[in-house]
Every structure is written in C-alpha cells, then in structure tokens.
C-alpha cells in the first residue's frame, strides 16, 4: 500500500507553487509589459557603482512580472539596471512560462542577454534566477557561450541536481506512460527530475565553468526542490548559503524565498556587489 499521506504532501506543495505563481498572473495583461521605474527600462545605463545590468530569470509556472514584484524594485532602488523576460512558453498556455525544454529556454536567455548588453553598453551581466531560473542559466553558461558575458549567477532555490519532490518522482517507474506524458506536455518538468538526460549532460564534468561566480541560496524548508542540499554547487567560485544559518527563524519555503524574503534579497545584493557586502541577519528583513 502506498504511503498516501507522504505522497500527497509533496504533490500539494507542487500545486501550491503553481497556484501562487499562476493566480497573480491573471491580473497582468502581458508579462513582458511591466514594470516600474528602472525595471525593464531599456534606456537605463549602469552606474559606476553597479556597472553590470541584472537579468532576472523566473521559475517554472511563473512569468517575468509576478516572480519579481518584490526583488526587481528592491534592486532597482539600489541603483541597478534590472531586466526580466519570459521563456519556455508552450503553445496554447498563456500567462505561465518555464514549461518548455530547458535547453531551448537557455537559447532564449542567450538572445535576451545579448539584447540587454547591446542596450546598456555593458560588457557583462549578472543573472539572478529562482528555481528553474537558477538552473537553466547554467546550460547557457556551459554550452551557449554565456560564460564570456556573465560575471555572476545567483540561484535562489535552484534545482541544480534535480528534485525528487520528496520522493514523488521515485514513483514514476510504477506508472507506465506518466514519464512520457511529462516529457510531451511539460518538458521542463521532466528535465528537472533527478537523473534526467538533461541534468546528466549539464552536470557531467563538474557543476561550474571558469570565470563565473556562483551563489546558491537555499532554505531547509524547501518542499519542492528536495533534498534541499541538492541545490548546492561544488567547484571554484561557489558560495552556498543556507538561509537558516543566517537567520534561524526564517521559515521561507520554495515560493517565499524567491517572491518576498528580504533576508534572501539581502544575500542577493551581497552576491552582486561583494566589495560592499554587509552581514545578513534576521534584521535584514527590515532593510
């Protein structure tokens, strides 16, 4: 007999993640129209203090607006040129993105980074991604020439080594056809399962590429990318951070860490400007 309570809990968490991302999207006319002040302002020129534009990369089931309603203004108010874009749309699926094959989404990231660099005149950019948005850029860096155009990648709850969804995906072999259904209808989900061909290719030969600084922000309460330590990278130029080591009472899970956790945001700012980094504590929630 299957342990249904244990099975339904991670499934409910996945549905909650999708719901949180999808519901606000219904209020947005189109995700590429957005934002406020310096966010997606194509006339923005990087300052001497922050010479690299920041490209925000949303997660699965999300879009370029809803994922960044808090972090984009947070960075813009700190004098960054901030940009975001939609990727991985499936035919007939409006408002939510990050569902298509991840290698194809990485090609869209390459095109968008080139557009940002051309508009701002900067030689490099920094990337900040949530969930799949922290994973997908690694393909761009490794296989699509991104390492020459990116200074740093900050992953917020990225599934760098895949996820079992608390063991849920381990049941796939017992349900013939489900894996094929995932691959056909939502390729990005299949790509993110532990041991997928995509992840095998991406992680062969090491997690990182030379010349890029990597930061990973994780929470022990992540119910989507499990186990949470699978998010961490190994290699040179890597800084792995567990939020609860900085603030033990931070209860953010997979969605909250990317959408509104200002303790995580403070660490993002530190990663983008390490020369002026300040200690991240529980008080950073008020910064």
């Amino acid at each position: 007999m299957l342990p249904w309570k244990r099975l339904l809990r991670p499934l409910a968490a996945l549905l909650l993640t999708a719901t949180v991302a999808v519901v606000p999207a219904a209020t947005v006319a189109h995700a590429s129209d957005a934002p406020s002040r310096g966010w997606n302002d194509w006339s923005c020129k990087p300052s001497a203090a922050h010479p690299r534009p920041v490209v925000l990369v949303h997660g699965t089931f999300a879009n370029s607006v809803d994922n960044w309603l808090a972090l984009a203004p947070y960075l813009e108010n700190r004098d960054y040129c901030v940009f975001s874009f939609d990727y991985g749309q499936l035919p007939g699926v409006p408002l939510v993105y990050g569902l298509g094959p991840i290698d194809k989404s990485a090609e869209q990231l390459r095109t968008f980074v080139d557009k940002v660099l051309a508009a701002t005149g900067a030689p490099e950019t920094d990337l900040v991604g949530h969930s799949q948005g922290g994973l997908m850029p690694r393909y761009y860096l490794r296989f699509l020439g991104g390492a020459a155009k990116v200074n740093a990648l900050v992953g917020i709850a990225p599934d760098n080594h895949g996820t079992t969804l608390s063991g849920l995906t381990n049941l796939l072999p017992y349900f013939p056809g489900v894996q094929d259904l995932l691959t056909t209808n939502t390729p990005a989900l299949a790509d993110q399962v532990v041991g997928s061909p995509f992840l095998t290719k991406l992680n062969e030969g090491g997690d990182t590429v030379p010349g890029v600084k990597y930061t990973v922000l994780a929470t022990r309460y992540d119910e989507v990318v499990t186990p949470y330590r699978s998010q961490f990278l190994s290699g040179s130029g890597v800084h792995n951070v567990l939020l609860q080591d900085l603030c033990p009472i931070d209860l953010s899970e997979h969605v909250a860490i990317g959408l509104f956790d200002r303790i995580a945001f403070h660490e993002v700012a530190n990663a983008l400007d390490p020369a002026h980094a300040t200690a991240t504590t529980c008080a950073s929630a008020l910064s």
Side-chain angles (χ1 to χ4, degrees), residues 12 14-15 25 30 45 52 63 72 77 79 107-108 125 141 148 158 181 187 226 228 235 243-245 249 262 266 277:
L14 177 60
L15 293 175
H30 189 276
K45 299 300 180 183
R52 293 178 298 276
N63 63 56
N77 289 337
D79 197 30
E107 293 176 3
Q108 294 178 272
T125 186
L141 297 176
L181 183 64
T226 55
Y228 73 85
L243 284 192
Q244 285 72 35
D245 288 342
I249 62 173
R262 292 177 72 91
H266 190 268

Side-chain angles (χ1 to χ4, degrees), residues 31-35 38-42 54-58 63-69 72 81-87 112 115-116 128:
S32 63
D33 294 336
W39 180 16
N40 277 359
D41 176 3
W42 293 97
V54 177
V55 173
L56 303 177
V57 190
H58 64 73
N63 63 56
S64 62
V65 176
D66 295 335
N67 212 144
W68 307 119
L69 288 173
C81 291
V82 181
F83 300 88
S84 63
F85 73 113
D86 295 316
Y87 69 86
F112 189 77
K115 180 180 177 182
V116 168
V128 179

Side-chain angles (χ1 to χ4, degrees), residues 2 4 7 168-181:
L2 290 172
W4 290 110
L7 173 63
L168 181 61
T169 59
N170 291 332
L171 296 174
L172 289 177
Y174 297 97
F175 297 91
V178 172
Q179 181 73 52
D180 292 339
L181 183 64

